[in-house]
Amino acid sequence: MMAQLFGYLRERSVVLKWVFFAYLAAAVVFDFFVERHHTHFWGDHIIGFWTIFAFFGCLGMIVVFKGLSHVWLMKGEDYYDE
Amino acid sequence: MMSNTIFMHPATYFILGAILMPFANRLKLQKVLLLAVPLLAFYQIHHLPASFGVCHFLGFELHFGRVDKLTYVFLHVFTLMALIGSIYGLHVKESGQHMAAFLYVAGSLGTTLCGDYLTLFIFWELMAFASVFLVWYRRRKRSIEAGYRYLLVHTTGGLILLAGIFLRYQNIHDLTFTRILAEGATTADYLIMIGFMLNAAVPPIHAWLPDAYPEATVTGAVYMCAFTTKTAVYVLARGFPGFTALAILGAIMTVYGVAYAVIENDARRILAYHIVSQVGYMVCGVGIGTAMAVNGACAHAYAHILYKALLFMGVGAVLEATGKTKLNELGGLYKYMPWSLVFTVIGGIAISGFPLTSGFISKSMIIAAAGADHRIFIMLMLSLAAVGTFLSVGIKLPYFVWFGPNEGVKEAKEVGWNMQLGMFIAAFMCIFLGFYPEYLYRMLPYPVTWHPYTMHHLSETFQLLGFTGLGFYLMVKKLKPEPKMNLDLDWFYRKGARVFMWVASKPVGAANDWVGEVYRTVGYRFTMAVARAMSWFDWEGIDWVLDGSAKGVVKGGDQLRTFQTGKLQHYIGGAAVALFIVLIIVVLL
């Protein structure tokens, strides 16, 4: 039953994609209407700060960590057995 | 100790349970015992007096039971976790695995309850020695090796802790385990803190964790991910709140663990690295040290034990069903193991801090406490780690195991009812705490004034999670799993050991014959001299440290000579060197 549900959803990934984009838009719009009391951080007063933070933080981490892995840390799985 | 006091201590049930396990197995009552012991302990922790089990031993006061709110919240989650772990492992027939798990839990409960450093040390070591069997029972060559490394690292950590305890006793003649103030902390206190930090997997002494946990048995890993690090968080919260070093190291941990979780390929290794990241939040909360931060650390420990165990159970179910944990070999499992997917995703969204899950109500408390304490840089690091958490454990792991571009698994069956029940209970708790945070907040050591469900916090979370998702969506090709492993700081002792072995076999081997000749003529006199020197230390003020051992060396001089031909001398030599290091620290500092 569950497996069929996941299969059903997977076949409609295009719809899911647009639902996801609509959610992203809604999240940003929501931030315009939020009251900002008791904040201790300048970023909390900027509308959409966490949008920018999350997006570039995510891309930055993938690029930096994957990059470090490829140029330095990555070794074969039997590295310690050799 | 009176017998009724012995039975007051919840660890007693687990130790007795471990002893009775083989008999219960013979009588086909093992499953009853596995459920009865954690249930009894879970009942018992609600009826503990504030202090019990004080006894005198060799002039020391051992204090087995000290209960306050800080103790209680950890006892609560430890016994609950023992129950979930027992249910998840109910199908395992081998008594030995259950015995190791029970002794491990007993060690953890004993450490949490103890009121002095000596009792702490005993249970601390019990934890290390019991848990290594959870690795060894996997019986693969890699597990055996990883288990030895795990044991060596923890023995070293234990010796550092012991050195700190000895020193502290010499300084203040008191072994009560209470809060140490950052202003007056001495070398002794820092040694104790390093011993604790090793178990909390604080970099640079963290590599034992991602080395050993992925090699543990399916059920063993579920226990291990819960107890060692969180017991360490407890002792840090008890002894060292407000140490700025912990706040900084904790923040570094959160990002460090996430970095490896993003690049690793093995699902259990990803989760293991992610423990480092999550425990970082707790260590950071302890380091900030305000009431709200310590509350946050405890709340996060509670929530984390449940969802990290849930994730280990989900991935363990995949390992049990398919024999695989590497992301590049998995994929497409949603057709065969949909319920494991549902449970694992609940763990994944809880750890990422989705609203209405336990992560939302605990993690945010530490981040907000960092903000309230005006530690903006730390706050941003914790938030960045939250992004990485959702990226690595919330999306990447379930995506490549259950969906993914390559469908690596063609056939698999959902795991047994008991494993699914274990996952269900943990998943239920993750969501229950999200809906009803007061249940957890009431248990915390300080009164809680923090409300997680504010518009502002919700908006922040919606954006953080949504745009991390967008980042993954755009970069999914870059994250394609590769059958590789990544170097970490265990390189130093894994490759370093090889250098040591070469030196041992080549130059030392040659020198050994020559030295052996000299030793036979001079060695015995030297042993006697050492014995005299040690007994001098013994009589000169630290008699309790070495009580008896000096005389033992004199007597044992002859026996030692017989060992010298066998391999035993290496082991005894190692132990002697370790003892000398402790001695030197005690005597010189």
Side-chain angles (χ1 to χ4, degrees), chain A residues 62-75:
Chain A
I62 294 173
V63 171
V64 172
F65 298 152
K66 272 282 172 187
L68 270 179
S69 172
H70 273 271
V71 300
W72 179 28
L73 300 170
M74 187 182 274
K75 295 278 182 270

Side-chain angles (χ1 to χ4, degrees), chain A residues 17 31 51 69 73 75 81, chain B residues 142 459 463 473 485-486:
Chain A
K17 188 173 81 181
D31 205 33
T51 294
S69 172
L73 300 170
K75 295 278 182 270
D81 300 326
Chain B
R142 279 189 184 213
S459 176
Q463 293 175 62
Y473 177 78
M485 55 84 64
N486 289 283

Side-chain angles (χ1 to χ4, degrees), chain A residues 2 10 17 23-24 31 34 40 50-51 59 61 65 69-70 73 75-82, chain B residues 142 263 326 342 371 384 388 404 407 456 459-460 462-463 466 473 475 482 485-487 491 494 498:
Chain A
M2 279 313 259
R10 206 176 191 207
K17 188 173 81 181
Y23 162 81
L24 291 182
D31 205 33
V34 168
H40 303 278
W50 294 108
T51 294
L59 295 190
M61 273 194 286
F65 298 152
S69 172
H70 273 271
L73 300 170
K75 295 278 182 270
E77 283 175 318
D78 299 326
Y79 175 73
Y80 285 116
D81 300 326
E82 282 157 12
Chain B
R142 279 189 184 213
I263 57 182
K326 288 179 184 148
V342 172
L384 187 69
E407 307 210 337
H456 177 244
S459 176
E460 180 188 330
F462 289 149
Q463 293 175 62
Y473 177 78
M475 300 286 270
E482 296 158 276
M485 55 84 64
N486 289 283
L487 295 183
W491 184 86
R494 296 179 78 171
R498 205 147 299 182

Side-chain angles (χ1 to χ4, degrees), chain B residues 332-386:
Chain B
L333 266 179
Y334 75 92
K335 284 178 239 163
Y336 314 109
M337 304 179 72
W339 285 106
S340 299
L341 164 64
V342 172
F343 293 135
T344 311
V345 166
I346 291 175
I349 63 173
I351 207 168
S352 313
F354 269 59
L356 302 181
T357 64
S358 54
F360 183 78
I361 62 134
S362 64
K363 189 191 292 181
S364 56
M365 217 168 171
I366 300 173
I367 297 179
D373 208 38
H374 305 290
R375 303 186 194 231
I376 299 305
F377 197 69
I378 285 181
M379 195 200 84
L380 286 175
M381 279 172 82
L382 299 186
S383 300
L384 187 69

Side-chain angles (χ1 to χ4, degrees), chain B residues 206-441:
Chain B
H206 68 286
W208 58 270
L209 195 159
D211 182 22
Y213 285 16
E215 300 301 334
T217 62
V218 169
T219 50
V222 174
Y223 279 99
M224 293 182 88
C225 74
F227 290 97
T228 302
T229 46
K230 262 59 76 183
T231 310
V233 168
Y234 163 79
V235 291
L236 285 171
R238 169 73 68 191
F240 299 94
F243 277 66
T244 308
L246 290 178
I248 295 166
L249 284 170
I252 293 170
M253 272 172 91
T254 58
V255 180
Y256 192 96
V258 147
Y260 276 91
V262 170
I263 57 182
E264 276 294 338
N265 179 37
D266 184 297
R268 294 209 299 172
R269 222 167 132 82
I270 292 173
L271 291 179
Y273 268 115
H274 203 265
I275 296 176
V276 175
S277 172
Q278 288 282 302
V279 174
Y281 284 96
M282 300 166 216
V283 171
C284 183
V286 169
I288 293 168
T290 58
M292 188 186 184
V294 174
N295 267 347
C298 297
H300 203 50
Y302 193 105
H304 167 85
I305 284 178
L306 293 168
Y307 53 61
K308 185 46 65 79
L310 175 55
L311 287 162
F312 263 99
M313 287 192 273
V315 171
V318 171
L319 175 61
E320 183 87 5
T322 66
K324 293 174 183 177
T325 52
K326 288 179 184 148
L327 296 189
N328 69 306
E329 296 171 358
L330 288 162
L333 266 179
Y334 75 92
K335 284 178 239 163
Y336 314 109
M337 304 179 72
W339 285 106
S340 299
L341 164 64
V342 172
F343 293 135
T344 311
V345 166
I346 291 175
I349 63 173
I351 207 168
S352 313
F354 269 59
L356 302 181
T357 64
S358 54
F360 183 78
I361 62 134
S362 64
K363 189 191 292 181
S364 56
M365 217 168 171
I366 300 173
I367 297 179
D373 208 38
H374 305 290
R375 303 186 194 231
I376 299 305
F377 197 69
I378 285 181
M379 195 200 84
L380 286 175
M381 279 172 82
L382 299 186
S383 300
L384 187 69
V387 170
T389 296
F390 184 46
L391 172 68
S392 58
V393 177
I395 320 177
K396 173 186 151 183
L397 190 141
Y399 176 76
F400 285 112
V401 172
W402 274 277
F403 301 100
N406 57 328
E407 307 210 337
V409 181
K410 296 280 173 269
E411 211 181 344
K413 259 174 75 176
E414 195 70 90
V415 288
W417 67 270
N418 64 303
M419 293 174 88
Q420 293 201 45
L421 179 62
M423 289 191 270
F424 172 80
I425 296 172
F428 171 80
M429 284 306 290
C430 288
I431 291 174
F432 172 73
L433 293 176
F435 274 90
Y436 186 47
E438 286 75 23
Y439 179 79
L440 174 56
Y441 287 177

Side-chain angles (χ1 to χ4, degrees), chain B residues 437-456:
Chain B
E438 286 75 23
Y439 179 79
L440 174 56
Y441 287 177
R442 268 204 304 269
M443 283 189 260
L444 297 178
Y446 301 102
V448 178
T449 50
W450 155 254
H451 300 287
Y453 290 103
T454 60
M455 293 293 266
H456 177 244

